[in-house]
Amino acid sequence: MTATTEATARRKAPLLLATAAGAVAGVAAKAGDESGWRWAADLGTYPAAWVLVVALIGWRAPTVPAAAARAGVFFAAMTVAYYAWAALVLDFGWSARLLVAWLLLSATAVPATGAAVHWATHRSGRLPGALLGVPAGLVLGSGAARQLWLQWVQPGLELPDRPVQVVAELVTAVVLVAVLPRDSRTRLWAGALAVPAVWLAPRALDLLQRFV
């Protein structure tokens, strides 16, 4: 009985840690929104930081099911903490529609991403490269890095500078394309397949915004 109890506790510990980390991240994200510091609000609003966290959770998990469970639990805890802090501490009220939408993502897209990253980081070739490169391209094409590029190609375009967010997006992309792949062949595929994802990113972001 003792051995069984200890084994159960060991299995539950990572999920409890993911829950706690998610709750802290959710409160920090809401605090960043209300801090008046644009860079802090950007980190919580743009997807780069969350894609990086979910990817690292998937990478470090021991199995595909564990990667899915830990990523989903983290994101669900973060979502609940974010909206609970807004409602209970800041008295903003509950945004029920947004809460449900993000919880649905926590139960579907997020665990799928964590599982995909775990699978991809333990294999080599075109498909693992795609599973790592496409998210990198989506990050680069949907945020501040894209805005910086638009300003460079259209000098008269007035867009706010977001240097901290640009760095966050570049770091996320480099980790996905250059650090997490297990070999050079997969890195090449990840880099190549990130390019079309950059172009598709604005369309994917539009779909996400309609959903949430």
Side-chain angles (χ1 to χ4, degrees):
M1 182 66 71
T2 302
T4 302
T5 302
E6 290 178 352
T8 301
R10 284 196 298 270
R11 287 195 297 270
K12 288 182 177 179
L15 293 179
L16 293 175
L17 180 59
T19 302
V24 171
V27 172
K30 190 58 190 176
D33 283 348
E34 303 304 318
S35 67
W37 298 336
R38 190 176 64 191
W39 66 267
D42 287 345
L43 287 175
T45 301
Y46 286 95
W50 309 121
V51 170
L52 180 59
V53 170
V54 170
L56 292 176
I57 289 172
W59 173 53
R60 293 296 300 168
T63 64
V64 168
R70 293 177 190 182
V73 165
F74 171 86
F75 215 84
M78 182 193 72
T79 297
V80 172
Y82 181 95
Y83 288 105
W85 189 266
L88 302 177
V89 178
L90 302 179
D91 200 26
F92 286 171
W94 288 94
S95 301
R97 184 182 67 85
L98 290 174
L99 175 61
V100 170
W102 285 109
L103 285 176
L104 284 174
L105 287 175
S106 301
T108 54
V110 172
T113 301
V117 169
H118 178 86
W119 185 89
T121 54
H122 289 76
R123 289 161 178 81
S124 63
R126 184 184 308 174
L127 181 56
L131 291 175
L132 296 170
V134 170
L138 293 176
V139 165
L140 287 177
S142 62
R146 177 173 178 268
Q147 292 179 352
L148 185 63
W149 165 258
L150 290 174
Q151 284 182 294
W152 188 68
V153 297
Q154 302 177 45
L157 190 63
E158 293 291 337
L159 292 172
D161 293 327
R162 290 184 161 91
V164 173
Q165 185 58 35
V166 170
V167 171
E169 292 168 8
L170 291 174
V171 168
T172 299
V174 168
V175 169
L176 288 169
V177 170
V179 177
L180 296 188
R182 65 179 300 175
D183 54 35
S184 298
R185 176 169 170 253
T186 308
R187 291 187 187 97
L188 288 174
W189 277 114
L193 294 170
V195 175
V198 172
W199 180 79
L200 291 171
R203 295 155 182 81
L205 185 61
D206 286 343
L207 289 175
L208 179 61
Q209 288 173 342
R210 290 176 190 175
F211 180 68
V212 300

